[in-house]
Amino acid sequence: MTMRKAIIALILCFPLCSIAQNGWERPDNQPVRQEQKTSPEVYQYEKYLGNVVPEVNGEVVWEKTFTSDKNAQDNYQTMLNFLTAMTKEEGQLEQSAVTLVNKQEHMIVCHFEEWMVFKSTFISTDRTRFIYTLIADCKDNSVNVKIMRIHYLYDELRNGGIRYKAEEWITDKWGLNKKKTRLAKVSGKFRRKTVDRVDDIFNNVQVCLQAK
């Protein structure tokens, strides 16, 4: 037993080449250690990157066509009721109104001015006046809605505020960082809240038109 232990100890001291020359080799089924890779950080506001702010001829315009089972007149009346009620919702300012209608063409034009709140605490509220035009074109079995002429009046209490146009503030060029991987530090919050608000309006229109 002593001699056997001495041989094993001597083998362990040999370099690998010596082991190979003496008939010793590594088994083929040795497990390979896999390097653990840390998953990349999931960006909290990833949904606001990419093509989420549409531009038409250099102007920011959201447009969507909704289907319904109503004729043009019924769609027109449904949208008129909906938009009139929308002008009176909480957060709407007194300037919000249905400004033009065309009963023959079944079209409605609205001007909206509403508060867009970024952050609100007991001490202060960070918000902007969100201003836009909404046009509803009602036809048999469909309604086309456009949201356009978007701009913001921010920090009104300081020298009357700062006015921003959507085209110069929330597009990919202005609303994202240079690498297009993050929202811009200042204008990014406008982009995020605007996308959310447009989604909210379109969702409400969809529900309204499908209501029996």
Side-chain angles (χ1 to χ4, degrees):
M1 291 296 292
T2 305
M3 179 64 70
R4 185 177 180 183
K5 290 181 179 179
I7 292 173
I8 292 174
L10 184 61
I11 290 173
L12 293 176
C13 294
F14 285 172
L16 290 177
C17 59
S18 298
I19 292 175
Q21 291 173 0
N22 286 277
W24 292 88
E25 59 184 28
R26 294 183 182 276
D28 294 334
N29 61 349
Q30 282 281 13
V32 179
R33 178 178 292 181
Q34 299 290 338
E35 291 186 9
Q36 294 184 351
K37 296 183 178 180
T38 304
S39 59
E41 174 191 0
V42 177
Y43 182 48
Q44 181 181 3
Y45 300 123
E46 188 171 1
K47 65 170 285 190
Y48 306 101
L49 308 179
N51 265 340
V52 297
V53 178
E55 295 182 70
V56 180
N57 298 324
E59 183 180 1
V60 172
V61 179
W62 268 276
E63 181 175 6
K64 187 171 183 178
T65 298
F66 303 85
T67 58
S68 78
D69 58 1
K70 302 179 178 69
N71 60 33
Q73 177 58 36
D74 287 344
N75 280 330
Y76 169 81
Q77 192 59 54
T78 298
M79 287 301 298
L80 182 60
N81 293 343
F82 167 75
L83 293 169
T84 300
M86 184 173 156
T87 64
K88 301 174 183 179
E89 290 177 349
E90 183 179 358
Q92 295 292 334
L93 301 171
E94 61 181 12
Q95 293 83 357
S96 294
V98 175
T99 54
L100 291 170
V101 297
N102 187 319
K103 296 180 181 180
Q104 287 72 37
E105 297 294 330
H106 304 107
M107 295 187 68
I108 308 166
V109 179
C110 302
H111 174 83
F112 285 99
E113 296 194 22
E114 59 190 54
W115 289 123
M116 177 177 284
V117 179
F118 304 120
K119 187 177 180 180
S120 181
T121 66
F122 291 110
I123 301 174
S124 64
T125 299
D126 182 18
R127 66 183 183 181
T128 186
R129 188 183 292 248
F130 178 45
I131 305 166
Y132 59 96
T133 296
L134 187 152
I135 302 174
D137 184 5
C138 307
K139 301 185 183 302
D140 291 337
N141 305 119
S142 71
V143 175
N144 178 269
V145 177
K146 289 183 181 179
I147 297 175
M148 55 197 301
R149 299 169 190 165
I150 300 169
H151 54 284
Y152 313 87
L153 184 59
Y154 184 57
D155 203 8
E156 292 184 51
L157 298 179
R158 185 178 300 176
N159 299 323
I162 308 170
R163 189 175 293 271
Y164 300 109
K165 292 178 61 177
E167 293 76 17
E168 301 169 353
W169 200 235
I170 66 168
T171 57
D172 288 3
K173 180 179 179 180
W174 302 101
L176 303 176
N177 63 2
K178 291 183 178 179
K179 293 182 178 180
K180 305 297 186 289
T181 57
R182 291 285 190 276
L183 291 173
K185 289 185 178 180
V186 179
S187 58
K189 63 184 179 182
F190 290 78
R191 177 183 174 104
R192 176 169 58 88
K193 283 290 187 176
T194 302
V195 170
D196 286 346
R197 179 55 176 151
V198 171
D199 285 347
D200 179 58
I201 293 171
F202 282 167
N203 288 337
N204 289 340
V205 170
Q206 181 72 53
V207 171
C208 174
L209 291 173
Q210 289 180 346
K212 301 294 184 182

